[in-house]
Amino acid sequence: TERSFQKQDAVFLNAKSVSKKNARWHKDIGLGFKTPAEAISGTYIDKKCPFTGNVSIRGRILSGVVKSTKMKRTIIVRREYLHYITKYQRYEKRHKNIAAHLSPAFIGVEVGDIVTVGQCRPLSKTIRFNVIKHQKKQVKGSKRFQKF
């Protein structure tokens, strides 16, 4: 889809000795998160990917439910939480939507799946998080509050 030549910044392609078998660069982001197999063996180029690009994960690690996948390489994650009202000694439901970059390493992320996002530098006007883990949606009984 991109018209320009796509290459990773960390890989030098014009070496005199021809060994282009391991010409893909990837890293371990740490914090106990595994690098996806697609990031290691895939062919995609994404400079905003935490596994193959120039982005470091630091700060907060959050989890939520995927609400929208309509944008290119970006998803909306809904985080639901309970807020305590002292006067009535009860809780109310609240939520926040977070825009997160979705690397091509995660194949098949759909609405309703649970993702873990890590904070990184600002990638665009609204995106400050990057998807670092993906879990498929588990279908259980009736409709209820997602987190509990």
Side-chain angles (χ1 to χ4, degrees):
T1 59
E2 311 298 333
R3 300 189 86 184
S4 62
F5 179 68
Q6 300 291 302
K7 75 176 205 65
Q8 287 182 307
D9 286 338
V11 178
F12 181 64
L13 297 175
N14 296 329
K16 290 185 173 137
S17 63
V18 181
S19 66
K20 299 203 175 179
K21 289 181 181 176
N22 297 330
R24 183 159 180 84
W25 178 84
H26 63 87
K27 68 177 178 181
D28 179 24
I29 62 167
L31 303 167
F33 292 101
K34 298 231 188 262
T35 304
E38 180 65 23
I40 298 169
S41 62
T43 58
Y44 71 89
I45 304 296
D46 185 12
K47 66 180 184 178
K48 297 177 181 179
C49 174
F51 306 104
T52 62
N54 187 22
V55 175
S56 61
I57 302 296
R58 81 286 189 280
R60 296 185 180 271
I61 306 290
L62 308 171
S63 65
V65 180
V66 177
K67 187 178 176 188
S68 170
T69 58
K70 294 176 184 175
M71 290 176 276
K72 182 180 178 184
R73 293 189 179 178
T74 304
I75 60 171
I76 301 296
V77 179
R78 181 181 171 109
R79 297 196 64 236
E80 296 177 330
Y81 58 95
L82 297 176
H83 177 252
Y84 186 67
I85 308 296
T86 314
K87 180 180 177 182
Y88 300 111
Q89 297 180 358
R90 281 168 174 73
Y91 292 92
E92 67 181 3
K93 286 191 234 176
R94 290 189 178 182
H95 81 277
K96 288 274 193 273
N97 289 337
I98 298 172
H101 181 76
L102 180 66
S103 168
F106 297 103
I107 300 170
V109 175
E110 298 173 353
V111 174
D113 291 353
I114 297 170
V115 293
T116 303
V117 295
Q119 189 177 7
C120 58
R121 63 178 169 83
L123 302 176
S124 70
K125 181 183 173 186
T126 58
I127 300 173
R128 276 102 176 95
F129 287 88
N130 227 314
V131 176
I132 53 179
K133 190 177 171 189
H134 167 236
Q135 297 172 341
K136 287 284 184 192
K137 175 173 56 173
Q138 289 127 2
V139 180
K140 292 183 181 174
S142 62
K143 180 182 171 186
R144 65 174 167 211
F145 195 51
Q146 289 283 339
K147 277 285 197 191
F148 305 103

PDB file of all heavy atoms in Angstrom, residues 29-42:
ATOM      1  N   ILE A  29      10.636  -6.057  24.492  1.00  0.00           N
ATOM      2  CA  ILE A  29      10.259  -4.811  25.157  1.00  0.00           C
ATOM      3  C   ILE A  29      10.387  -4.900  26.670  1.00  0.00           C
ATOM      4  O   ILE A  29      10.255  -3.896  27.364  1.00  0.00           O
ATOM      5  CB  ILE A  29       8.825  -4.363  24.786  1.00  0.00           C
ATOM      6  CG1 ILE A  29       7.786  -5.391  25.230  1.00  0.00           C
ATOM      7  CG2 ILE A  29       8.725  -4.094  23.310  1.00  0.00           C
ATOM      8  CD1 ILE A  29       6.373  -4.881  25.175  1.00  0.00           C
ATOM      9  N   GLY A  30      10.661  -6.109  27.191  1.00  0.00           N
ATOM     10  CA  GLY A  30      10.819  -6.278  28.628  1.00  0.00           C
ATOM     11  C   GLY A  30       9.482  -6.347  29.338  1.00  0.00           C
ATOM     12  O   GLY A  30       8.443  -6.604  28.732  1.00  0.00           O
ATOM     13  N   LEU A  31       9.487  -6.125  30.638  1.00  0.00           N
ATOM     14  CA  LEU A  31       8.289  -6.097  31.479  1.00  0.00           C
ATOM     15  C   LEU A  31       7.513  -7.417  31.453  1.00  0.00           C
ATOM     16  O   LEU A  31       6.335  -7.458  31.785  1.00  0.00           O
ATOM     17  CB  LEU A  31       7.349  -4.953  31.071  1.00  0.00           C
ATOM     18  CG  LEU A  31       7.960  -3.550  31.086  1.00  0.00           C
ATOM     19  CD1 LEU A  31       7.046  -2.574  30.378  1.00  0.00           C
ATOM     20  CD2 LEU A  31       8.198  -3.099  32.510  1.00  0.00           C
ATOM     21  N   GLY A  32       8.157  -8.507  31.013  1.00  0.00           N
ATOM     22  CA  GLY A  32       7.513  -9.811  31.002  1.00  0.00           C
ATOM     23  C   GLY A  32       6.608 -10.068  29.815  1.00  0.00           C
ATOM     24  O   GLY A  32       5.876 -11.052  29.806  1.00  0.00           O
ATOM     25  N   PHE A  33       6.655  -9.219  28.792  1.00  0.00           N
ATOM     26  CA  PHE A  33       5.823  -9.398  27.606  1.00  0.00           C
ATOM     27  C   PHE A  33       6.651 -10.055  26.504  1.00  0.00           C
ATOM     28  O   PHE A  33       7.749  -9.617  26.201  1.00  0.00           O
ATOM     29  CB  PHE A  33       5.271  -8.062  27.113  1.00  0.00           C
ATOM     30  CG  PHE A  33       4.278  -7.452  28.060  1.00  0.00           C
ATOM     31  CD1 PHE A  33       4.657  -6.426  28.916  1.00  0.00           C
ATOM     32  CD2 PHE A  33       2.970  -7.903  28.099  1.00  0.00           C
ATOM     33  CE1 PHE A  33       3.745  -5.874  29.794  1.00  0.00           C
ATOM     34  CE2 PHE A  33       2.055  -7.350  28.981  1.00  0.00           C
ATOM     35  CZ  PHE A  33       2.440  -6.333  29.830  1.00  0.00           C
ATOM     36  N   LYS A  34       6.080 -11.111  25.902  1.00  0.00           N
ATOM     37  CA  LYS A  34       6.786 -11.834  24.847  1.00  0.00           C
ATOM     38  C   LYS A  34       6.643 -11.112  23.509  1.00  0.00           C
ATOM     39  O   LYS A  34       5.617 -10.500  23.221  1.00  0.00           O
ATOM     40  CB  LYS A  34       6.213 -13.243  24.716  1.00  0.00           C
ATOM     41  CG  LYS A  34       6.360 -14.088  25.952  1.00  0.00           C
ATOM     42  CD  LYS A  34       6.981 -15.417  25.597  1.00  0.00           C
ATOM     43  CE  LYS A  34       6.965 -16.357  26.771  1.00  0.00           C
ATOM     44  NZ  LYS A  34       8.169 -16.413  27.504  1.00  0.00           N
ATOM     45  N   THR A  35       7.685 -11.224  22.690  1.00  0.00           N
ATOM     46  CA  THR A  35       7.640 -10.688  21.331  1.00  0.00           C
ATOM     47  C   THR A  35       6.817 -11.640  20.462  1.00  0.00           C
ATOM     48  O   THR A  35       7.092 -12.839  20.439  1.00  0.00           O
ATOM     49  CB  THR A  35       9.057 -10.565  20.754  1.00  0.00           C
ATOM     50  OG1 THR A  35       9.841  -9.762  21.633  1.00  0.00           O
ATOM     51  CG2 THR A  35       9.037  -9.915  19.383  1.00  0.00           C
ATOM     52  N   PRO A  36       5.790 -11.145  19.745  1.00  0.00           N
ATOM     53  CA  PRO A  36       4.967 -12.032  18.913  1.00  0.00           C
ATOM     54  C   PRO A  36       5.800 -12.688  17.813  1.00  0.00           C
ATOM     55  O   PRO A  36       6.769 -12.105  17.321  1.00  0.00           O
ATOM     56  CB  PRO A  36       3.915 -11.101  18.310  1.00  0.00           C
ATOM     57  CG  PRO A  36       3.928  -9.883  19.156  1.00  0.00           C
ATOM     58  CD  PRO A  36       5.298  -9.769  19.722  1.00  0.00           C
ATOM     59  N   ALA A  37       5.401 -13.893  17.412  1.00  0.00           N
ATOM     60  CA  ALA A  37       6.116 -14.618  16.356  1.00  0.00           C
ATOM     61  C   ALA A  37       6.069 -13.852  15.033  1.00  0.00           C
ATOM     62  O   ALA A  37       7.026 -13.877  14.259  1.00  0.00           O
ATOM     63  CB  ALA A  37       5.518 -16.006  16.181  1.00  0.00           C
ATOM     64  N   GLU A  38       4.976 -13.168  14.778  1.00  0.00           N
ATOM     65  CA  GLU A  38       4.837 -12.398  13.545  1.00  0.00           C
ATOM     66  C   GLU A  38       5.825 -11.236  13.498  1.00  0.00           C
ATOM     67  O   GLU A  38       6.293 -10.858  12.429  1.00  0.00           O
ATOM     68  CB  GLU A  38       3.401 -11.878  13.416  1.00  0.00           C
ATOM     69  CG  GLU A  38       3.111 -11.068  12.178  1.00  0.00           C
ATOM     70  CD  GLU A  38       3.226 -11.852  10.872  1.00  0.00           C
ATOM     71  OE1 GLU A  38       3.103 -13.088  10.909  1.00  0.00           O
ATOM     72  OE2 GLU A  38       3.446 -11.218   9.833  1.00  0.00           O
ATOM     73  N   ALA A  39       6.186 -10.674  14.660  1.00  0.00           N
ATOM     74  CA  ALA A  39       7.172  -9.591  14.690  1.00  0.00           C
ATOM     75  C   ALA A  39       8.561 -10.099  14.356  1.00  0.00           C
ATOM     76  O   ALA A  39       9.368  -9.388  13.761  1.00  0.00           O
ATOM     77  CB  ALA A  39       7.177  -8.924  16.067  1.00  0.00           C
ATOM     78  N   ILE A  40       8.847 -11.348  14.720  1.00  0.00           N
ATOM     79  CA  ILE A  40      10.172 -11.929  14.475  1.00  0.00           C
ATOM     80  C   ILE A  40      10.308 -12.410  13.036  1.00  0.00           C
ATOM     81  O   ILE A  40      11.286 -12.122  12.364  1.00  0.00           O
ATOM     82  CB  ILE A  40      10.432 -13.089  15.458  1.00  0.00           C
ATOM     83  CG1 ILE A  40      10.412 -12.561  16.902  1.00  0.00           C
ATOM     84  CG2 ILE A  40      11.743 -13.795  15.161  1.00  0.00           C
ATOM     85  CD1 ILE A  40      10.388 -13.627  17.952  1.00  0.00           C
ATOM     86  N   SER A  41       9.286 -13.121  12.551  1.00  0.00           N
ATOM     87  CA  SER A  41       9.391 -13.747  11.236  1.00  0.00           C
ATOM     88  C   SER A  41       8.615 -13.020  10.141  1.00  0.00           C
ATOM     89  O   SER A  41       8.703 -13.404   8.978  1.00  0.00           O
ATOM     90  CB  SER A  41       8.891 -15.188  11.308  1.00  0.00           C
ATOM     91  OG  SER A  41       7.523 -15.185  11.679  1.00  0.00           O
ATOM     92  N   GLY A  42       7.853 -11.990  10.477  1.00  0.00           N
ATOM     93  CA  GLY A  42       7.031 -11.296   9.489  1.00  0.00           C
ATOM     94  C   GLY A  42       7.840 -10.418   8.556  1.00  0.00           C
ATOM     95  O   GLY A  42       9.052 -10.265   8.687  1.00  0.00           O
TER      96      GLY A  42
END
